[in-house]
Amino acid sequence: EAQVTQNPRYLITVTGKKLTVTCSQNMNHEYMSWYRQDPGLGLRQIYYSMNVEVTDKGDVPEGYKVSRKEKRNFPLILESPSPNQTSLYFCASHPGRGASTDTQYFGPGTRLTVL
Amino acid sequence: QQQVKQSPQSLIVQKGGIPIINCAYENTAFDYFPWYQQFPGKGPALLIAIRPDVSEKKEGRFTISFNKSAKQFSLHIMDSQPGDSATYFCAASTASNFGNEKLTFGTGTRLTIIP
């Protein structure tokens, strides 16, 4: 089954304690990205990656890092989380322009609370 | 700057009615307009999408109407059912984004279909 998986699904942490949210896709997609979802704001892109070792900032990258060492994995790293990073996070993958479909697939989400 | 404006924020419709959700965009470079459906605890899932070369697209009970000159598009759900109760997001993207398949989302509409 084609899917995007994220772990953990729920996380409560404290300010300043480094954490990583993992994301993996099994569709051999070149493009992956991270979004955060906040009430009244919709989803906003944090970082994206067009391929292995190619990453770039989205609209709200402050306080986040990413890496793309393998095509299937795209972890989101919060080196020093702060309460304003409390949010619902989604990983997404896309086959890239020129593919037969423009569908972007989303993971199930990670609800993060930073105290 | 909210590049995609969505309304209404919430909508309650009786079963069998036709909920309509509207979106307006600013960036004339947008060339792909998907609608995503999100159930509680799940990630957004593509429902239907349209490109600006057509004014309407229908898939099952879901129809997108697109008005390029007004920079507006809307989702209509025919014969709505309680199972359609979810949050709906409109979105837009452009090929002119240097390989970033970023989706710019509206703020979402929480739809409730009452029996």
Side-chain angles (χ1 to χ4, degrees):
Chain A
E1 178 191 357
Q3 61 181 357
V4 178
T5 56
Q6 294 179 229
N7 284 292
R9 294 291 313 279
Y10 303 91
L11 180 59
I12 300 175
T13 190
V14 295
T15 299
K17 185 176 182 182
K18 181 179 179 180
L19 66 93
T20 298
V21 183
T22 65
C23 173
S24 183
Q25 50 97 1
N26 63 1
M27 295 167 280
N28 201 36
H29 286 170
E30 293 182 346
Y31 178 91
M32 298 182 74
S33 64
W34 277 100
Y35 291 82
R36 59 178 289 173
Q37 182 178 359
D38 301 290
L41 296 176
L43 286 84
R44 295 175 293 165
Q45 190 186 55
I46 302 170
Y47 265 94
Y48 68 96
S49 169
M50 291 192 284
N51 214 323
V52 175
E53 302 292 1
V54 180
T55 64
D56 206 346
K57 298 176 181 178
D59 294 326
V60 289
E62 295 75 21
Y64 304 95
K65 283 177 57 177
V66 293
S67 69
R68 189 92 181 273
K69 292 183 169 53
E70 306 166 280
K71 199 170 188 178
R72 64 182 292 126
N73 296 323
F74 189 44
L76 179 69
I77 303 155
L78 285 72
E79 298 232 328
S80 184
S82 62
N84 64 12
Q85 293 178 297
T86 293
S87 187
L88 181 57
Y89 291 87
F90 290 101
C91 180
S93 75
H94 185 283
R97 292 274 167 166
S100 59
T101 174
D102 255 328
T103 302
Q104 193 146 169
Y105 295 85
F106 284 82
T110 295
R111 185 166 292 282
L112 172 65
T113 302
V114 183
L115 302 175
Chain B
Q1 181 188 11
Q2 186 66 42
Q3 291 196 50
V4 178
K5 294 184 179 179
Q6 182 172 348
S7 63
Q9 191 172 0
S10 63
L11 186 57
I12 300 174
V13 173
Q14 201 135 24
K15 177 184 173 184
I18 305 176
I20 300 173
I21 305 171
N22 300 299
C23 285
Y25 63 96
E26 299 169 6
N27 186 352
T28 54
F30 286 146
D31 60 0
Y32 177 68
F33 302 89
W35 284 89
Y36 279 82
Q37 180 187 56
Q38 184 181 29
F39 292 105
K42 304 288 187 184
L46 179 68
L47 187 63
I48 185 172
I50 197 168
R51 294 197 179 274
D53 53 342
V54 296
S55 60
E56 185 174 282
K57 184 173 182 180
K58 185 175 181 179
E59 287 184 2
R61 296 185 293 108
F62 301 93
T63 299
I64 300 179
S65 298
F66 186 82
N67 185 330
K68 188 174 181 179
S69 61
K71 293 187 286 186
Q72 294 175 349
F73 58 110
S74 59
L75 176 70
H76 301 232
I77 305 176
M78 313 301 283
D79 187 27
S80 58
Q81 302 295 314
D84 296 329
S85 298
T87 299
Y88 292 81
F89 291 95
C90 62
S93 68
T94 171
S96 307
N97 207 8
F98 308 101
N100 184 3
E101 302 293 345
K102 180 181 77 171
L103 289 165
T104 298
F105 282 87
T107 51
T109 296
R110 178 171 288 186
L111 174 65
T112 303
I113 307 297
I114 52 177

